[in-house]
Amino acid sequence: MTQTAYRAQLLTFNGDPAQSSNAAVFNEDGLLIVEDGHVVASGAYAALSKQLAAGTQVSEMRDKLIVPGFIDTHIHYPQTDMIASPAPGLLPWLDTYTFPTERRFEDPAYARDTASFFVDELLACGTTTALVYCTVHKGSADALFAESEARNVRMVAGKVLMDRNCPEFLRDTAQSGYDDSAELIGRWHNRGRQMYALTPRFAPTSTEAQLEACGVLAREHPDVFIQSHVAENRDEVKWVAELFPGHRSYLDIYDHYGLLRRRAVYGHCIYLDGEDRRRMAETGAVASHCPTSNLFLGSGLFDFDAAGEAGMPVALATDVGGGTSFSMLQTMNEAHKVARLNGHHLSATRMFWLATAGAAEALDLGDKVGTLAVGSEADFVVLDPAGTPLLARRNARCESLEELLFAFALLGDDRAVFETYSAGRLAHRRGAPRVAV
Ligand code: GUN
Ligand code: ZN
């Protein structure tokens, strides 16, 4: 197989920067060597250049920074066309914009068109893996998986399960939801780089029979993902307590149906208590923090200190279309500010970890993506410290790696992404026309 190689500044991780001062591994003059879609070497150019196979083309990008591809742990592809729709909070936003928009996915052609734009937009922002909600329609999941398979992107996604408290036209049943999910798992889970996530939208839109059926599927398929929303908004939490009397907490409903475990990912996790966080830590379930969404919908402030004290795994996410940006850099920007409002200092180095290696580890994908380690799938982003005139001026004065990463996080977006590679293949170049595959 032909090798490709990239000489650039390299950043990868071997642990959580909050736990170890050596967790970030930075090479100012680095070399990344890729073969057959995987990393075969990464480190200092001086040490690795001898390893280059004869005739290997080396892309010279010493003014750029290569980081592992970003991982967005919670995003709704059907909400692409309704991003930035105004509403006074979560529940009216769902009724006014979300449900009517999701109805359009009855139409496979609309689903295909949206999926294609969606994957383009992820790659333009440097996101190479995402945990994606589709709609209740089986075909919406087929459309997304077909698109991401064609681009050879590692994607996790699932058809939404929803059998009450939503318009009739968006309902499945406990049985049809079970059957459709089982069929999609059979068709897509572990096919190439595609993986399935059981996706009960949130407790209010599923009957007990549907949550029960989802628990059965989870037991039958121990390595599929599970994704849902929990404790996002005060009105939602109150509604859930009325719908499910007798549970200790909102999270306890999911626990009761066997939906807390490794590879279970819960969006928001704002109104949890200490017992809930301990239970997340104990089971290995992951809290997906969605700061742009939480600020936009006025949902609340995620508590990083409480998460850390409980040992609850955390990752970052956009939650588009509740979230207001596809960019994980913009997500870091607002994560930093949300943490600040709770008296917590979230460093840029840790935010980059949370969006790459930390997410991969939390999702049990650390052997595949999230780092530049030898053997990893070669998903990486080439960031441009001069991506905008303002970034260029700021970065000319950066005195540390933390300052550079902080400037990317606070000032960066898709303009800071020069190139994105998926499984070693160039998947996006800034300014190049997007080409449908
Ligand atoms: N809770 C249930 N559905 C949704 C959704 O689509 N977006 C957000 N942010 N919260 C939800
Ligand atoms: Zn969401």
PDB file of all heavy atoms in Angstrom, residues 11-26 304 314 344-359 361 370-371 401-402 405:
ATOM      1  N   LEU A  11      -0.561  17.290  17.601  1.00  0.00           N
ATOM      2  CA  LEU A  11      -1.051  17.177  18.979  1.00  0.00           C
ATOM      3  C   LEU A  11      -1.879  15.910  19.111  1.00  0.00           C
ATOM      4  O   LEU A  11      -2.813  15.685  18.337  1.00  0.00           O
ATOM      5  CB  LEU A  11      -1.947  18.384  19.327  1.00  0.00           C
ATOM      6  CG  LEU A  11      -2.659  18.302  20.679  1.00  0.00           C
ATOM      7  CD1 LEU A  11      -1.665  18.367  21.834  1.00  0.00           C
ATOM      8  CD2 LEU A  11      -3.708  19.413  20.822  1.00  0.00           C
ATOM      9  N   THR A  12      -1.536  15.087  20.104  1.00  0.00           N
ATOM     10  CA  THR A  12      -2.376  13.945  20.442  1.00  0.00           C
ATOM     11  C   THR A  12      -2.374  13.794  21.968  1.00  0.00           C
ATOM     12  O   THR A  12      -1.800  14.635  22.666  1.00  0.00           O
ATOM     13  CB  THR A  12      -1.928  12.661  19.697  1.00  0.00           C
ATOM     14  OG1 THR A  12      -2.874  11.625  19.949  1.00  0.00           O
ATOM     15  CG2 THR A  12      -0.549  12.211  20.101  1.00  0.00           C
ATOM     16  N   PHE A  13      -3.044  12.787  22.482  1.00  0.00           N
ATOM     17  CA  PHE A  13      -3.203  12.667  23.933  1.00  0.00           C
ATOM     18  C   PHE A  13      -2.948  11.229  24.379  1.00  0.00           C
ATOM     19  O   PHE A  13      -3.270  10.288  23.661  1.00  0.00           O
ATOM     20  CB  PHE A  13      -4.636  13.051  24.342  1.00  0.00           C
ATOM     21  CG  PHE A  13      -4.955  14.499  24.080  1.00  0.00           C
ATOM     22  CD1 PHE A  13      -5.582  14.879  22.897  1.00  0.00           C
ATOM     23  CD2 PHE A  13      -4.616  15.483  24.999  1.00  0.00           C
ATOM     24  CE1 PHE A  13      -5.871  16.211  22.637  1.00  0.00           C
ATOM     25  CE2 PHE A  13      -4.894  16.823  24.747  1.00  0.00           C
ATOM     26  CZ  PHE A  13      -5.523  17.186  23.571  1.00  0.00           C
ATOM     27  N   ASN A  14      -2.398  11.104  25.597  1.00  0.00           N
ATOM     28  CA  ASN A  14      -2.335   9.759  26.191  1.00  0.00           C
ATOM     29  C   ASN A  14      -3.055   9.698  27.531  1.00  0.00           C
ATOM     30  O   ASN A  14      -2.819   8.813  28.333  1.00  0.00           O
ATOM     31  CB  ASN A  14      -0.882   9.283  26.311  1.00  0.00           C
ATOM     32  CG  ASN A  14      -0.069  10.204  27.202  1.00  0.00           C
ATOM     33  OD1 ASN A  14      -0.649  10.889  28.054  1.00  0.00           O
ATOM     34  ND2 ASN A  14       1.238  10.236  27.023  1.00  0.00           N
ATOM     35  N   GLY A  15      -3.951  10.660  27.780  1.00  0.00           N
ATOM     36  CA  GLY A  15      -4.723  10.661  29.026  1.00  0.00           C
ATOM     37  C   GLY A  15      -5.464  11.979  29.166  1.00  0.00           C
ATOM     38  O   GLY A  15      -5.431  12.824  28.259  1.00  0.00           O
ATOM     39  N   ASP A  16      -6.122  12.126  30.310  1.00  0.00           N
ATOM     40  CA  ASP A  16      -6.917  13.327  30.576  1.00  0.00           C
ATOM     41  C   ASP A  16      -6.013  14.431  31.128  1.00  0.00           C
ATOM     42  O   ASP A  16      -5.390  14.246  32.171  1.00  0.00           O
ATOM     43  CB  ASP A  16      -7.999  12.952  31.606  1.00  0.00           C
ATOM     44  CG  ASP A  16      -8.898  14.126  31.990  1.00  0.00           C
ATOM     45  OD1 ASP A  16      -8.624  15.266  31.568  1.00  0.00           O
ATOM     46  OD2 ASP A  16      -9.879  13.873  32.715  1.00  0.00           O
ATOM     47  N   PRO A  17      -5.945  15.573  30.454  1.00  0.00           N
ATOM     48  CA  PRO A  17      -5.092  16.660  30.940  1.00  0.00           C
ATOM     49  C   PRO A  17      -5.465  17.135  32.349  1.00  0.00           C
ATOM     50  O   PRO A  17      -4.634  17.732  33.034  1.00  0.00           O
ATOM     51  CB  PRO A  17      -5.320  17.779  29.913  1.00  0.00           C
ATOM     52  CG  PRO A  17      -5.770  17.076  28.680  1.00  0.00           C
ATOM     53  CD  PRO A  17      -6.556  15.887  29.144  1.00  0.00           C
ATOM     54  N   ALA A  18      -6.699  16.830  32.803  1.00  0.00           N
ATOM     55  CA  ALA A  18      -7.054  17.212  34.174  1.00  0.00           C
ATOM     56  C   ALA A  18      -6.415  16.266  35.189  1.00  0.00           C
ATOM     57  O   ALA A  18      -6.317  16.582  36.374  1.00  0.00           O
ATOM     58  CB  ALA A  18      -8.575  17.212  34.344  1.00  0.00           C
ATOM     59  N   GLN A  19      -5.969  15.096  34.739  1.00  0.00           N
ATOM     60  CA  GLN A  19      -5.392  14.097  35.651  1.00  0.00           C
ATOM     61  C   GLN A  19      -3.867  14.069  35.586  1.00  0.00           C
ATOM     62  O   GLN A  19      -3.226  13.648  36.548  1.00  0.00           O
ATOM     63  CB  GLN A  19      -5.871  12.681  35.286  1.00  0.00           C
ATOM     64  CG  GLN A  19      -7.356  12.531  35.053  1.00  0.00           C
ATOM     65  CD  GLN A  19      -8.118  12.399  36.347  1.00  0.00           C
ATOM     66  OE1 GLN A  19      -7.554  11.956  37.332  1.00  0.00           O
ATOM     67  NE2 GLN A  19      -9.366  12.832  36.363  1.00  0.00           N
ATOM     68  N   SER A  20      -3.324  14.437  34.420  1.00  0.00           N
ATOM     69  CA  SER A  20      -1.871  14.298  34.260  1.00  0.00           C
ATOM     70  C   SER A  20      -1.313  15.464  33.453  1.00  0.00           C
ATOM     71  O   SER A  20      -1.888  15.847  32.422  1.00  0.00           O
ATOM     72  CB  SER A  20      -1.579  12.972  33.543  1.00  0.00           C
ATOM     73  OG  SER A  20      -0.389  13.076  32.800  1.00  0.00           O
ATOM     74  N   SER A  21      -0.183  16.000  33.909  1.00  0.00           N
ATOM     75  CA  SER A  21       0.384  17.143  33.196  1.00  0.00           C
ATOM     76  C   SER A  21       1.086  16.708  31.904  1.00  0.00           C
ATOM     77  O   SER A  21       1.458  17.541  31.090  1.00  0.00           O
ATOM     78  CB  SER A  21       1.338  17.913  34.106  1.00  0.00           C
ATOM     79  OG  SER A  21       2.290  17.010  34.606  1.00  0.00           O
ATOM     80  N   ASN A  22       1.287  15.383  31.734  1.00  0.00           N
ATOM     81  CA  ASN A  22       1.922  14.896  30.488  1.00  0.00           C
ATOM     82  C   ASN A  22       0.919  14.332  29.493  1.00  0.00           C
ATOM     83  O   ASN A  22       1.305  13.661  28.541  1.00  0.00           O
ATOM     84  CB  ASN A  22       2.925  13.774  30.809  1.00  0.00           C
ATOM     85  CG  ASN A  22       3.942  14.230  31.808  1.00  0.00           C
ATOM     86  OD1 ASN A  22       4.429  15.356  31.729  1.00  0.00           O
ATOM     87  ND2 ASN A  22       4.248  13.385  32.785  1.00  0.00           N
ATOM     88  N   ALA A  23      -0.359  14.594  29.724  1.00  0.00           N
ATOM     89  CA  ALA A  23      -1.388  13.939  28.899  1.00  0.00           C
ATOM     90  C   ALA A  23      -1.381  14.423  27.452  1.00  0.00           C
ATOM     91  O   ALA A  23      -1.655  13.659  26.538  1.00  0.00           O
ATOM     92  CB  ALA A  23      -2.759  14.157  29.512  1.00  0.00           C
ATOM     93  N   ALA A  24      -1.068  15.708  27.245  1.00  0.00           N
ATOM     94  CA  ALA A  24      -1.021  16.226  25.879  1.00  0.00           C
ATOM     95  C   ALA A  24       0.364  15.965  25.302  1.00  0.00           C
ATOM     96  O   ALA A  24       1.379  16.296  25.919  1.00  0.00           O
ATOM     97  CB  ALA A  24      -1.309  17.725  25.878  1.00  0.00           C
ATOM     98  N   VAL A  25       0.408  15.342  24.135  1.00  0.00           N
ATOM     99  CA  VAL A  25       1.690  15.034  23.489  1.00  0.00           C
ATOM    100  C   VAL A  25       1.805  15.926  22.253  1.00  0.00           C
ATOM    101  O   VAL A  25       1.039  15.776  21.300  1.00  0.00           O
ATOM    102  CB  VAL A  25       1.749  13.542  23.089  1.00  0.00           C
ATOM    103  CG1 VAL A  25       3.085  13.220  22.446  1.00  0.00           C
ATOM    104  CG2 VAL A  25       1.471  12.655  24.293  1.00  0.00           C
ATOM    105  N   PHE A  26       2.750  16.868  22.311  1.00  0.00           N
ATOM    106  CA  PHE A  26       2.859  17.876  21.258  1.00  0.00           C
ATOM    107  C   PHE A  26       4.228  17.798  20.601  1.00  0.00           C
ATOM    108  O   PHE A  26       5.247  17.719  21.289  1.00  0.00           O
ATOM    109  CB  PHE A  26       2.656  19.260  21.878  1.00  0.00           C
ATOM    110  CG  PHE A  26       2.785  20.388  20.881  1.00  0.00           C
ATOM    111  CD1 PHE A  26       1.909  20.502  19.813  1.00  0.00           C
ATOM    112  CD2 PHE A  26       3.788  21.347  21.023  1.00  0.00           C
ATOM    113  CE1 PHE A  26       2.019  21.547  18.895  1.00  0.00           C
ATOM    114  CE2 PHE A  26       3.910  22.387  20.116  1.00  0.00           C
ATOM    115  CZ  PHE A  26       3.023  22.485  19.046  1.00  0.00           C
ATOM    116  N   PHE A 304     -19.412  21.050  35.666  1.00  0.00           N
ATOM    117  CA  PHE A 304     -18.184  20.263  35.462  1.00  0.00           C
ATOM    118  C   PHE A 304     -17.582  19.767  36.774  1.00  0.00           C
ATOM    119  O   PHE A 304     -17.043  18.664  36.833  1.00  0.00           O
ATOM    120  CB  PHE A 304     -17.141  21.087  34.699  1.00  0.00           C
ATOM    121  CG  PHE A 304     -17.156  20.814  33.222  1.00  0.00           C
ATOM    122  CD1 PHE A 304     -17.887  21.612  32.369  1.00  0.00           C
ATOM    123  CD2 PHE A 304     -16.458  19.743  32.691  1.00  0.00           C
ATOM    124  CE1 PHE A 304     -17.917  21.357  31.008  1.00  0.00           C
ATOM    125  CE2 PHE A 304     -16.479  19.468  31.334  1.00  0.00           C
ATOM    126  CZ  PHE A 304     -17.221  20.281  30.484  1.00  0.00           C
ATOM    127  N   VAL A 314     -17.598  12.431  30.665  1.00  0.00           N
ATOM    128  CA  VAL A 314     -18.178  13.593  29.983  1.00  0.00           C
ATOM    129  C   VAL A 314     -17.553  13.726  28.598  1.00  0.00           C
ATOM    130  O   VAL A 314     -16.351  13.468  28.424  1.00  0.00           O
ATOM    131  CB  VAL A 314     -17.900  14.897  30.775  1.00  0.00           C
ATOM    132  CG1 VAL A 314     -18.475  16.110  30.047  1.00  0.00           C
ATOM    133  CG2 VAL A 314     -18.470  14.828  32.189  1.00  0.00           C
ATOM    134  N   HIS A 344     -15.744  27.202  37.263  1.00  0.00           N
ATOM    135  CA  HIS A 344     -14.805  26.137  36.899  1.00  0.00           C
ATOM    136  C   HIS A 344     -13.941  26.624  35.741  1.00  0.00           C
ATOM    137  O   HIS A 344     -14.464  27.157  34.764  1.00  0.00           O
ATOM    138  CB  HIS A 344     -15.607  24.906  36.479  1.00  0.00           C
ATOM    139  CG  HIS A 344     -14.774  23.726  36.093  1.00  0.00           C
ATOM    140  ND1 HIS A 344     -14.442  22.730  36.986  1.00  0.00           N
ATOM    141  CD2 HIS A 344     -14.215  23.386  34.916  1.00  0.00           C
ATOM    142  CE1 HIS A 344     -13.700  21.823  36.361  1.00  0.00           C
ATOM    143  NE2 HIS A 344     -13.548  22.200  35.104  1.00  0.00           N
ATOM    144  N   HIS A 345     -12.624  26.428  35.826  1.00  0.00           N
ATOM    145  CA  HIS A 345     -11.768  26.801  34.693  1.00  0.00           C
ATOM    146  C   HIS A 345     -11.532  25.583  33.804  1.00  0.00           C
ATOM    147  O   HIS A 345     -10.875  24.627  34.209  1.00  0.00           O
ATOM    148  CB  HIS A 345     -10.430  27.389  35.152  1.00  0.00           C
ATOM    149  CG  HIS A 345      -9.607  27.802  33.968  1.00  0.00           C
ATOM    150  ND1 HIS A 345      -9.818  28.983  33.289  1.00  0.00           N
ATOM    151  CD2 HIS A 345      -8.635  27.154  33.280  1.00  0.00           C
ATOM    152  CE1 HIS A 345      -9.010  29.064  32.251  1.00  0.00           C
ATOM    153  NE2 HIS A 345      -8.277  27.959  32.228  1.00  0.00           N
ATOM    154  N   LEU A 346     -12.071  25.637  32.608  1.00  0.00           N
ATOM    155  CA  LEU A 346     -11.924  24.532  31.654  1.00  0.00           C
ATOM    156  C   LEU A 346     -10.831  24.931  30.666  1.00  0.00           C
ATOM    157  O   LEU A 346     -11.037  25.837  29.849  1.00  0.00           O
ATOM    158  CB  LEU A 346     -13.276  24.334  30.959  1.00  0.00           C
ATOM    159  CG  LEU A 346     -13.486  23.106  30.080  1.00  0.00           C
ATOM    160  CD1 LEU A 346     -13.154  21.812  30.809  1.00  0.00           C
ATOM    161  CD2 LEU A 346     -14.942  23.071  29.600  1.00  0.00           C
ATOM    162  N   SER A 347      -9.691  24.254  30.746  1.00  0.00           N
ATOM    163  CA  SER A 347      -8.580  24.655  29.874  1.00  0.00           C
ATOM    164  C   SER A 347      -8.849  24.222  28.435  1.00  0.00           C
ATOM    165  O   SER A 347      -9.612  23.282  28.180  1.00  0.00           O
ATOM    166  CB  SER A 347      -7.268  24.023  30.363  1.00  0.00           C
ATOM    167  OG  SER A 347      -7.246  22.644  30.047  1.00  0.00           O
ATOM    168  N   ALA A 348      -8.199  24.904  27.504  1.00  0.00           N
ATOM    169  CA  ALA A 348      -8.355  24.537  26.092  1.00  0.00           C
ATOM    170  C   ALA A 348      -7.766  23.155  25.839  1.00  0.00           C
ATOM    171  O   ALA A 348      -8.306  22.375  25.057  1.00  0.00           O
ATOM    172  CB  ALA A 348      -7.673  25.578  25.208  1.00  0.00           C
ATOM    173  N   THR A 349      -6.658  22.847  26.507  1.00  0.00           N
ATOM    174  CA  THR A 349      -6.038  21.537  26.309  1.00  0.00           C
ATOM    175  C   THR A 349      -7.038  20.439  26.688  1.00  0.00           C
ATOM    176  O   THR A 349      -7.202  19.454  25.973  1.00  0.00           O
ATOM    177  CB  THR A 349      -4.757  21.405  27.158  1.00  0.00           C
ATOM    178  OG1 THR A 349      -3.930  22.536  26.862  1.00  0.00           O
ATOM    179  CG2 THR A 349      -4.004  20.137  26.867  1.00  0.00           C
ATOM    180  N   ARG A 350      -7.758  20.652  27.807  1.00  0.00           N
ATOM    181  CA  ARG A 350      -8.758  19.642  28.207  1.00  0.00           C
ATOM    182  C   ARG A 350      -9.942  19.631  27.240  1.00  0.00           C
ATOM    183  O   ARG A 350     -10.496  18.565  26.943  1.00  0.00           O
ATOM    184  CB  ARG A 350      -9.228  19.896  29.639  1.00  0.00           C
ATOM    185  CG  ARG A 350     -10.152  18.791  30.108  1.00  0.00           C
ATOM    186  CD  ARG A 350     -10.112  18.543  31.598  1.00  0.00           C
ATOM    187  NE  ARG A 350     -10.614  17.244  31.924  1.00  0.00           N
ATOM    188  CZ  ARG A 350     -11.872  16.995  32.374  1.00  0.00           C
ATOM    189  NH1 ARG A 350     -12.704  18.002  32.551  1.00  0.00           N
ATOM    190  NH2 ARG A 350     -12.255  15.771  32.658  1.00  0.00           N
ATOM    191  N   MET A 351     -10.318  20.778  26.738  1.00  0.00           N
ATOM    192  CA  MET A 351     -11.449  20.790  25.789  1.00  0.00           C
ATOM    193  C   MET A 351     -11.093  20.029  24.508  1.00  0.00           C
ATOM    194  O   MET A 351     -11.925  19.314  23.958  1.00  0.00           O
ATOM    195  CB  MET A 351     -11.880  22.222  25.488  1.00  0.00           C
ATOM    196  CG  MET A 351     -12.498  22.902  26.696  1.00  0.00           C
ATOM    197  SD  MET A 351     -13.425  24.383  26.297  1.00  0.00           S
ATOM    198  CE  MET A 351     -12.151  25.518  25.803  1.00  0.00           C
ATOM    199  N   PHE A 352      -9.851  20.182  24.039  1.00  0.00           N
ATOM    200  CA  PHE A 352      -9.444  19.415  22.854  1.00  0.00           C
ATOM    201  C   PHE A 352      -9.447  17.911  23.165  1.00  0.00           C
ATOM    202  O   PHE A 352      -9.813  17.095  22.317  1.00  0.00           O
ATOM    203  CB  PHE A 352      -8.065  19.878  22.347  1.00  0.00           C
ATOM    204  CG  PHE A 352      -8.160  20.987  21.334  1.00  0.00           C
ATOM    205  CD1 PHE A 352      -8.448  22.281  21.726  1.00  0.00           C
ATOM    206  CD2 PHE A 352      -7.976  20.740  19.975  1.00  0.00           C
ATOM    207  CE1 PHE A 352      -8.558  23.323  20.787  1.00  0.00           C
ATOM    208  CE2 PHE A 352      -8.076  21.757  19.026  1.00  0.00           C
ATOM    209  CZ  PHE A 352      -8.367  23.054  19.439  1.00  0.00           C
ATOM    210  N   TRP A 353      -9.026  17.572  24.389  1.00  0.00           N
ATOM    211  CA  TRP A 353      -9.090  16.148  24.784  1.00  0.00           C
ATOM    212  C   TRP A 353     -10.539  15.672  24.822  1.00  0.00           C
ATOM    213  O   TRP A 353     -10.882  14.600  24.318  1.00  0.00           O
ATOM    214  CB  TRP A 353      -8.413  15.972  26.156  1.00  0.00           C
ATOM    215  CG  TRP A 353      -8.506  14.575  26.683  1.00  0.00           C
ATOM    216  CD1 TRP A 353      -7.753  13.503  26.320  1.00  0.00           C
ATOM    217  CD2 TRP A 353      -9.442  14.088  27.673  1.00  0.00           C
ATOM    218  NE1 TRP A 353      -8.158  12.377  27.017  1.00  0.00           N
ATOM    219  CE2 TRP A 353      -9.176  12.709  27.848  1.00  0.00           C
ATOM    220  CE3 TRP A 353     -10.459  14.691  28.426  1.00  0.00           C
ATOM    221  CZ2 TRP A 353      -9.904  11.921  28.756  1.00  0.00           C
ATOM    222  CZ3 TRP A 353     -11.183  13.903  29.320  1.00  0.00           C
ATOM    223  CH2 TRP A 353     -10.905  12.543  29.481  1.00  0.00           C
ATOM    224  N   LEU A 354     -11.413  16.484  25.437  1.00  0.00           N
ATOM    225  CA  LEU A 354     -12.833  16.103  25.545  1.00  0.00           C
ATOM    226  C   LEU A 354     -13.459  15.897  24.168  1.00  0.00           C
ATOM    227  O   LEU A 354     -14.378  15.089  24.017  1.00  0.00           O
ATOM    228  CB  LEU A 354     -13.623  17.188  26.283  1.00  0.00           C
ATOM    229  CG  LEU A 354     -13.464  17.261  27.794  1.00  0.00           C
ATOM    230  CD1 LEU A 354     -14.059  18.561  28.329  1.00  0.00           C
ATOM    231  CD2 LEU A 354     -14.103  16.053  28.481  1.00  0.00           C
ATOM    232  N   ALA A 355     -12.974  16.633  23.177  1.00  0.00           N
ATOM    233  CA  ALA A 355     -13.563  16.554  21.838  1.00  0.00           C
ATOM    234  C   ALA A 355     -12.875  15.509  20.956  1.00  0.00           C
ATOM    235  O   ALA A 355     -13.275  15.331  19.791  1.00  0.00           O
ATOM    236  CB  ALA A 355     -13.485  17.918  21.156  1.00  0.00           C
ATOM    237  N   THR A 356     -11.838  14.833  21.487  1.00  0.00           N
ATOM    238  CA  THR A 356     -11.114  13.840  20.668  1.00  0.00           C
ATOM    239  C   THR A 356     -10.905  12.541  21.471  1.00  0.00           C
ATOM    240  O   THR A 356     -11.820  11.724  21.576  1.00  0.00           O
ATOM    241  CB  THR A 356      -9.763  14.409  20.184  1.00  0.00           C
ATOM    242  OG1 THR A 356      -8.966  14.811  21.318  1.00  0.00           O
ATOM    243  CG2 THR A 356      -9.942  15.599  19.257  1.00  0.00           C
ATOM    244  N   ALA A 357      -9.716  12.414  22.082  1.00  0.00           N
ATOM    245  CA  ALA A 357      -9.371  11.169  22.780  1.00  0.00           C
ATOM    246  C   ALA A 357     -10.304  10.878  23.953  1.00  0.00           C
ATOM    247  O   ALA A 357     -10.659   9.714  24.199  1.00  0.00           O
ATOM    248  CB  ALA A 357      -7.925  11.254  23.279  1.00  0.00           C
ATOM    249  N   GLY A 358     -10.718  11.918  24.674  1.00  0.00           N
ATOM    250  CA  GLY A 358     -11.602  11.712  25.830  1.00  0.00           C
ATOM    251  C   GLY A 358     -12.943  11.157  25.394  1.00  0.00           C
ATOM    252  O   GLY A 358     -13.501  10.251  26.025  1.00  0.00           O
ATOM    253  N   ALA A 359     -13.472  11.715  24.293  1.00  0.00           N
ATOM    254  CA  ALA A 359     -14.754  11.219  23.782  1.00  0.00           C
ATOM    255  C   ALA A 359     -14.603   9.775  23.311  1.00  0.00           C
ATOM    256  O   ALA A 359     -15.437   8.918  23.610  1.00  0.00           O
ATOM    257  CB  ALA A 359     -15.238  12.098  22.636  1.00  0.00           C
ATOM    258  N   GLU A 361     -12.504   7.494  24.240  1.00  0.00           N
ATOM    259  CA  GLU A 361     -12.365   6.604  25.395  1.00  0.00           C
ATOM    260  C   GLU A 361     -13.734   6.391  26.056  1.00  0.00           C
ATOM    261  O   GLU A 361     -14.130   5.259  26.355  1.00  0.00           O
ATOM    262  CB  GLU A 361     -11.419   7.300  26.368  1.00  0.00           C
ATOM    263  CG  GLU A 361     -10.713   6.425  27.352  1.00  0.00           C
ATOM    264  CD  GLU A 361      -9.769   7.310  28.167  1.00  0.00           C
ATOM    265  OE1 GLU A 361      -8.729   7.755  27.604  1.00  0.00           O
ATOM    266  OE2 GLU A 361     -10.095   7.595  29.327  1.00  0.00           O
ATOM    267  N   GLY A 370      -9.778   9.026  17.751  1.00  0.00           N
ATOM    268  CA  GLY A 370      -9.585   9.948  18.870  1.00  0.00           C
ATOM    269  C   GLY A 370      -8.144  10.312  19.171  1.00  0.00           C
ATOM    270  O   GLY A 370      -7.894  11.257  19.913  1.00  0.00           O
ATOM    271  N   THR A 371      -7.185   9.563  18.617  1.00  0.00           N
ATOM    272  CA  THR A 371      -5.770   9.900  18.826  1.00  0.00           C
ATOM    273  C   THR A 371      -5.014   9.715  17.507  1.00  0.00           C
ATOM    274  O   THR A 371      -5.590   9.264  16.510  1.00  0.00           O
ATOM    275  CB  THR A 371      -5.087   8.985  19.872  1.00  0.00           C
ATOM    276  OG1 THR A 371      -4.957   7.678  19.303  1.00  0.00           O
ATOM    277  CG2 THR A 371      -5.860   8.922  21.177  1.00  0.00           C
ATOM    278  N   LEU A 401       1.333  26.260  24.057  1.00  0.00           N
ATOM    279  CA  LEU A 401       0.343  25.416  23.383  1.00  0.00           C
ATOM    280  C   LEU A 401      -1.059  25.751  23.891  1.00  0.00           C
ATOM    281  O   LEU A 401      -2.003  25.859  23.104  1.00  0.00           O
ATOM    282  CB  LEU A 401       0.667  23.937  23.644  1.00  0.00           C
ATOM    283  CG  LEU A 401      -0.345  22.943  23.084  1.00  0.00           C
ATOM    284  CD1 LEU A 401      -0.382  22.975  21.557  1.00  0.00           C
ATOM    285  CD2 LEU A 401      -0.044  21.520  23.573  1.00  0.00           C
ATOM    286  N   GLU A 402      -1.199  25.924  25.205  1.00  0.00           N
ATOM    287  CA  GLU A 402      -2.520  26.243  25.765  1.00  0.00           C
ATOM    288  C   GLU A 402      -3.075  27.536  25.147  1.00  0.00           C
ATOM    289  O   GLU A 402      -4.252  27.609  24.806  1.00  0.00           O
ATOM    290  CB  GLU A 402      -2.417  26.351  27.295  1.00  0.00           C
ATOM    291  CG  GLU A 402      -3.652  26.883  28.023  1.00  0.00           C
ATOM    292  CD  GLU A 402      -4.928  26.013  27.919  1.00  0.00           C
ATOM    293  OE1 GLU A 402      -4.814  24.834  27.555  1.00  0.00           O
ATOM    294  OE2 GLU A 402      -6.022  26.549  28.176  1.00  0.00           O
ATOM    295  N   LEU A 405      -4.264  26.725  21.555  1.00  0.00           N
ATOM    296  CA  LEU A 405      -5.514  25.960  21.543  1.00  0.00           C
ATOM    297  C   LEU A 405      -6.675  26.831  22.007  1.00  0.00           C
ATOM    298  O   LEU A 405      -7.800  26.725  21.509  1.00  0.00           O
ATOM    299  CB  LEU A 405      -5.387  24.707  22.430  1.00  0.00           C
ATOM    300  CG  LEU A 405      -4.312  23.703  21.997  1.00  0.00           C
ATOM    301  CD1 LEU A 405      -4.282  22.520  22.963  1.00  0.00           C
ATOM    302  CD2 LEU A 405      -4.533  23.208  20.566  1.00  0.00           C
TER     303      LEU A 405
END
